[in-house]
Amino acid sequence: MNIISTKSNEDKVNTITEMCKLFKVSARTLRFYESKELLFPIRRGQHRLFTKSDRGRMKLIMQGKRFGFSLEEIRQLLNLYNFGDHRTRQIKQTYQLGLKRLSSMEQQKKELGLAIKDLKTQLQLCKDLLLKRGADSRDL
Amino acid sequence: MNIISTKSNEDKVNTITEMCKLFKVSARTLRFYESKELLFPIRRGQHRLFTKSDRGRMKLIMQGKRFGFSLEEIRQLLNLYNFGDHRTRQIKQTYQLGLKRLSSMEQQKKELGLAIKDLKTQLQLCKDLLLKRGADSRDL
DNA sequence: GTTATACTTGACGTTAACGTCAAAGGAATA
DNA sequence: TATTCCTTTGACGTTAACGTCAAGTATAAC
């Protein structure tokens, strides 16, 4: 416990294999993301060290992918989480992009709700048929 | 209005270009989907004719893609909407798959809700910074 | 009859998002 | 010192989901 590193998990850095386990991705993937400027690990000699910022970015990347966004779309939004570093003009742009992304995600959530409803209906029809055909209800 | 085709839009068939406009996709895409057994247009001579069933399937395909499912994942579920045609054993399988898909979609909806919440927070922080830097609030 | 139009089947090209493999460098351990 | 281990940089391979282009057919329009 020294004076400088009270914020231990703030300053913590991870090797590439640690990151792999943390996010269940391959090392190739992490290097690929760096080459695409989605991550910016620092270097100790040859090796990469991933900082808290990289961990935050990775979380957002995985999230974005889950919702069907491309890496390029994700990259553009990542700046929203580092805006302190940038010029006002660029922050404005990122902010605008964020608003669009937000509305797109809200739209997607609506549609998802409808699709879920449809699917439920269809599953019920399917279940009815199976029961009428004499299926054991404990199987379903 | 003849006796047979009272269900005019039930029996309606579409040419490939009509389908293209209907779903805003290319003809190549429709043929590709047929080759992957997601669509089953009938043939008048050489030409394809897309039926109501194909239109229903296309709706589901577009929906599935929107939510990030692969064409193969989508294909497997499409049978849920034609179950009359199949053997009980296969319907059961499709039904089970449908249940899994449902829970996956519900999970996705949850996560989407959280992500939306995060994004809103971040946008607010971003907005605050911009205002503090003297941005005109009418721009945002 | 020929020209235009819509459609067909191949076949090869493209992009995103990685996977895989080879060769090499440094640190640690035996 | 030798060997092992982690990591690095290239470079080429792969898969999904189409795009693009060429060559041919069939029906409709003039």
Side-chain angles (χ1 to χ4, degrees):
Chain A
M1 280 298 181
N2 70 39
I3 301 169
I4 291 171
S5 71
T6 38
K7 18 178 175 173
S8 63
N9 64 353
E10 285 271 320
D11 294 351
K12 180 171 185 185
V13 291
N14 298 100
T15 72
I16 199 163
T17 31
E18 288 167 355
M19 284 291 277
C20 291
K21 286 173 191 170
L22 222 51
F23 293 99
K24 319 227 174 209
V25 296
S26 71
R28 177 69 178 90
T29 298
L30 293 171
R31 293 188 199 108
F32 179 70
Y33 289 171
E34 182 186 6
S35 81
K36 293 287 176 179
E37 305 192 301
L38 288 111
L39 299 176
F40 303 93
I42 56 179
R43 296 299 178 110
R44 178 175 53 193
Q46 284 270 84
H47 295 30
R48 290 170 174 81
L49 289 180
F50 296 85
T51 69
K52 189 200 176 189
S53 163
D54 293 311
R55 291 191 294 274
R57 283 165 167 269
M58 267 306 281
K59 185 187 162 194
L60 291 168
I61 293 168
M62 304 305 280
Q63 207 173 72
K65 290 198 55 169
R66 179 83 208 268
F67 304 138
F69 295 110
S70 74
L71 290 182
E72 178 52 23
E73 287 174 314
I74 294 169
R75 190 187 63 78
Q76 293 171 34
L77 250 188
L78 282 175
N79 293 326
L80 204 60
Y81 293 76
N82 285 61
F83 49 71
D85 311 350
H86 299 293
R87 273 156 291 147
T88 304
R89 180 132 173 26
Q90 201 191 334
I91 301 182
K92 259 188 198 172
Q93 280 187 15
T94 305
Y95 178 76
Q96 296 300 333
L97 188 60
L99 286 179
K100 284 187 190 171
R101 195 63 51 90
L102 176 61
S103 96
S104 148
M105 287 170 73
E106 283 175 331
Q107 177 62 25
Q108 188 174 347
K109 195 184 168 194
K110 265 191 205 170
E111 291 175 28
L112 198 45
L114 293 177
I116 286 173
K117 209 177 145 194
D118 281 9
L119 183 50
K120 276 184 181 169
T121 303
Q122 207 60 28
L123 281 171
Q124 187 56 49
L125 287 177
C126 199
K127 190 175 177 181
D128 292 348
L129 177 67
L130 283 171
L131 291 176
K132 207 175 345 181
R133 287 203 191 175
D136 187 334
S137 59
R138 282 164 299 180
D139 290 2
L140 314 176
Chain B
M1 280 299 180
N2 70 38
I3 301 169
I4 292 169
S5 71
T6 38
K7 18 179 175 172
S8 63
N9 64 353
E10 285 272 320
D11 294 352
K12 181 171 183 184
V13 292
N14 297 101
T15 71
I16 200 164
T17 31
E18 286 168 356
M19 284 291 276
C20 291
K21 286 174 191 171
L22 222 51
F23 292 100
K24 319 230 176 207
V25 297
S26 72
R28 176 69 178 92
T29 298
L30 293 171
R31 293 189 199 107
F32 180 69
Y33 289 170
E34 182 186 7
S35 82
K36 293 287 176 180
E37 305 192 301
L38 287 111
L39 299 176
F40 302 94
I42 55 179
R43 295 300 178 108
R44 178 175 55 193
Q46 283 271 83
H47 295 30
R48 291 169 175 80
L49 289 180
F50 296 84
T51 70
K52 189 200 174 188
S53 163
D54 294 311
R55 291 191 293 275
R57 284 167 166 269
M58 266 306 280
K59 187 188 161 193
L60 291 168
I61 293 167
M62 304 304 281
Q63 208 172 71
K65 289 199 54 170
R66 179 81 210 271
F67 305 138
F69 294 110
S70 74
L71 290 183
E72 178 52 24
E73 288 173 313
I74 293 169
R75 191 187 63 78
Q76 294 172 35
L77 249 188
L78 282 175
N79 294 326
L80 204 59
Y81 293 76
N82 284 61
F83 48 71
D85 311 351
H86 299 293
R87 273 156 292 146
T88 304
R89 178 132 173 29
Q90 200 190 334
I91 301 182
K92 260 189 197 173
Q93 280 188 14
T94 305
Y95 178 75
Q96 295 300 332
L97 187 60
L99 286 179
K100 284 187 190 172
R101 196 62 54 89
L102 176 61
S103 96
S104 147
M105 287 170 73
E106 283 174 333
Q107 177 63 25
Q108 187 173 348
K109 195 184 168 194
K110 265 191 204 169
E111 290 176 27
L112 198 44
L114 292 178
I116 286 172
K117 208 177 146 193
D118 281 8
L119 184 50
K120 275 184 183 168
T121 304
Q122 207 59 27
L123 282 171
Q124 186 58 48
L125 288 176
C126 199
K127 189 175 177 180
D128 292 349
L129 177 67
L130 284 170
L131 291 175
K132 206 176 345 181
R133 286 202 191 175
D136 187 335
S137 59
R138 283 165 298 180
D139 291 1
L140 315 177

